[in-house]
């Protein structure tokens, strides 16, 4: 018998990493030694149960490394948390995990072009608070501040800081305010979501020039392919920090939130929730509602309350859109 047939095969090399992108059946896994394209073991697909994707962007995984520099995902480590939506189409009603193991969630708006949308911000913050994420607001394009839009800046500074959210006033273009944001993002996986044109690509390029993302006209960017998929991706900012790109955030449901609970995700409602006449008060049409009284007394901002009612309506309707 030739010698090489009796020797035991070497144990294949392994690595741990984080899934930064998923493209159909391949996953990009960032390991200390670089990004490895990997497939998953078939048994994960059999085990997937109520979710449509057994491996999600953000998952910490173990890999077996193949000789051809690809990998096989052999283990998915337990998720700390996840953002999900209900799947559509063929898999309607199933849970689709958009991104997992998130530390922070920031909603991005701009002072101008496009101007801020407080309803979008509040829906996003409700979602983040429900998931127990450190939540905040990035207000970009501070270099465009002027007499006419000063109120846009003041609105966010005056209301949300007091509610415990972090506020970052930045100019991705001039670099103003970026150090504080960089410090906040450090060592975290952060979701940043905002309308097209708010300047997210410019901001990401400022954080990590190697990303070299296309910026500018939406139509041009689509041609270059950035928003052609609806899959999330993690952009590495440095060795330990990631920003999640989550295209289509407008379609995400407030998955798992009930109308009865919505008020609990409004920090400023908290002192009043036990003072409503009806213990199951939803602060809508009920009489003797302490939350509505607080709005009338200017203790709660009317825009915040208005947005609360609009989210409440959408939960009643079972509507899945987030960003109206
Ligand atoms: P995205 O759609 O959110 O990724 O937005 P982009 O990063 O492509 O930016 C949209 C437009 O806003 C581009 O023309 C950018 O040059 C511009 N922009 C981005 N950040 C700033 C900023 O801080 N100040 C100004 N004045 N313009 C900005
Ligand atoms: Zn009430």
């Amino acid at each position: 018998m030739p010698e090489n047939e009796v020797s035991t095969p070497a144990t294949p090399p392994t690595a741990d990493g984080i899934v930064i992108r998923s493209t159909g059946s391949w996953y990009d896994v960032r390991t200390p030694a670089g990004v490895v394209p990997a497939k998953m073991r078939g048994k994960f697909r059999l085990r997937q149960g109520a979710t449509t994707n057994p491996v999600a962007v953000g998952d910490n995984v173990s890999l077996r490394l193949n000789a051809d520099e690809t990998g096989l995902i052999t283990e998915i480590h337990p998720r700390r948390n996840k953002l999900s939506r209900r799947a559509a189409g063929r898999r309607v009603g199933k849970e689709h995990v958009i991104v997992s193991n998130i530390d922070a969630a920031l909603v991005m708006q701009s002072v101008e072009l496009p101007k801020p949308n407080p309803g979008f911000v509040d829906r996003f913050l409700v979602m983040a608070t429900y998931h127990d994420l450190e939540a905040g607001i990035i207000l970009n394009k501070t270099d465009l501040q002027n007499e006419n839009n000063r109120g846009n800046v003041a609105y966010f500074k005056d209301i949300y800081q007091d509610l415990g959210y972090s506020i970052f006033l930045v100019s991705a273009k001039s670099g103003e305010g970026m150090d504080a944001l960089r410090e906040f993002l450090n060592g975290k996986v952060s979701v940043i979501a905002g309308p097209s044109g708010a300047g997210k690509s410019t901001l990401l390029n400022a954080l990590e020039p190697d990303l070299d993302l296309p910026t500018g006209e939406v139509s041009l960017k689509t041609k270059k392919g950035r928003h052609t998929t609806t899959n999330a991706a993690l952009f590495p900012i440095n060795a330990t920090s990631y920003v999640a790109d989550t295209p289509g955030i407008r379609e995400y449901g407030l998955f798992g939130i009930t109308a009865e609970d919505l008020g609990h995700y409004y920090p400023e409602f908290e002192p009043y929730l036990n003072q409503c006449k009806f213990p199951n008060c939803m602060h809508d049409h009920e009489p003797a509602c302490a939350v509505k009284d607080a709005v009338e007394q200017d203790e709660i901002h009317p825009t915040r309350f208005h947005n609360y009612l609009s989210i409440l309506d959408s939960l009643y309707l079972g509507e899945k859109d987030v960003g109206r």
Side-chain angles (χ1 to χ4, degrees):
M1 194 182 275
E3 213 173 285
N4 62 353
E5 282 196 33
V6 286
S7 66
T8 44
T11 339
T14 59
D16 282 349
I18 178 168
V19 177
I20 60 169
R21 192 179 294 274
S22 122
T23 51
S25 52
W26 286 94
Y27 301 89
D28 283 346
V29 180
R30 189 178 188 228
T31 75
V35 176
V36 178
K39 293 209 160 202
M40 68 171 174
R41 267 209 171 129
K43 71 174 180 188
F44 293 135
R45 202 172 285 286
L46 297 176
R47 226 196 270 157
Q48 68 193 58
T51 61
T52 61
N53 53 335
V55 178
V57 166
D59 280 350
N60 295 305
V61 298
S62 294
L63 292 179
R64 201 176 74 201
L65 299 169
N66 303 319
D68 64 357
E69 306 201 322
T70 66
L72 181 71
I73 297 173
T74 54
E75 199 180 335
I76 306 164
H77 299 282
R79 289 176 184 148
R80 272 185 294 124
N81 60 28
K82 61 193 172 177
L83 295 184
S84 304
R85 62 174 162 82
R86 269 179 218 287
R90 201 157 51 86
R91 289 154 163 177
V92 67
K94 277 199 167 193
E95 178 184 13
H96 180 84
V97 180
I98 297 150
V99 55
S100 68
N101 301 320
I102 314 128
D103 300 296
L106 299 171
V107 54
M108 182 161 179
Q109 302 276 295
S110 52
V111 170
E112 283 273 12
L113 304 167
K115 62 177 197 283
N117 176 346
F120 183 97
V121 170
D122 285 351
R123 277 171 188 260
F124 187 88
L125 293 178
V126 163
M127 184 278 294
T129 310
Y130 168 70
H131 288 283
D132 228 357
L133 304 173
E134 198 174 345
I137 301 170
I138 301 172
L139 193 59
N140 186 34
K141 310 197 188 183
T142 52
D143 56 294
L144 298 182
Q145 272 185 96
N146 60 34
E147 283 300 304
N148 301 326
N149 59 34
R150 221 170 34 192
N152 297 347
V153 180
Y155 175 79
F156 290 102
K157 269 213 317 219
D158 293 350
I159 300 178
Y160 293 92
Q161 220 148 22
D162 285 350
L163 296 176
Y165 298 110
S166 305
I167 310 291
F168 299 97
L169 300 177
V170 304
S171 168
K173 212 166 211 172
S174 79
E176 185 191 351
M178 291 293 287
D179 285 345
L181 178 62
R182 221 177 246 116
E183 194 176 314
F184 176 91
L185 298 173
N186 201 36
K188 297 188 176 102
V189 175
S190 307
V191 169
I192 301 182
S196 173
K200 188 171 164 193
S201 310
T202 307
L203 184 99
L204 285 165
N205 287 340
L207 292 167
E208 171 50 294
D210 283 353
L211 291 172
D212 198 19
L213 299 168
T215 63
E217 292 286 323
V218 174
S219 53
L220 289 176
K221 284 200 292 194
T222 309
K223 270 187 207 139
K224 288 184 189 174
R226 179 166 158 229
H227 286 297
T228 50
T229 74
T230 54
N231 290 334
L234 294 187
F235 292 119
I237 296 304
N238 60 34
T240 59
S241 317
Y242 298 86
V243 170
D245 186 34
T246 52
I249 188 104
R250 279 168 172 268
E251 284 106 59
Y252 297 176
L254 296 169
F255 195 86
I257 299 179
T258 61
E260 292 72 22
D261 281 348
L262 181 61
H264 291 281
Y265 307 114
Y266 272 72
E268 70 270 53
F269 288 13
E270 207 56 53
Y272 308 103
L273 294 177
N274 291 327
Q275 294 174 33
C276 296
K277 180 172 179 192
F278 298 103
N280 59 350
C281 184
M282 285 196 251
H283 330 300
D284 186 3
H285 298 299
E286 298 88 342
C289 167
V291 171
K292 265 187 293 181
D293 288 348
V295 177
E296 265 150 43
Q297 306 287 314
D298 272 343
E299 304 288 333
I300 293 173
H301 197 285
T303 306
R304 289 274 294 167
F305 185 64
H306 171 85
N307 293 338
Y308 164 83
L309 291 177
S310 118
I311 299 172
L312 190 69
D313 276 350
S314 67
L315 291 176
Y316 278 132
L317 294 170
E319 185 193 275
K320 63 179 176 30
D321 290 358
V322 167
R324 268 177 243 252

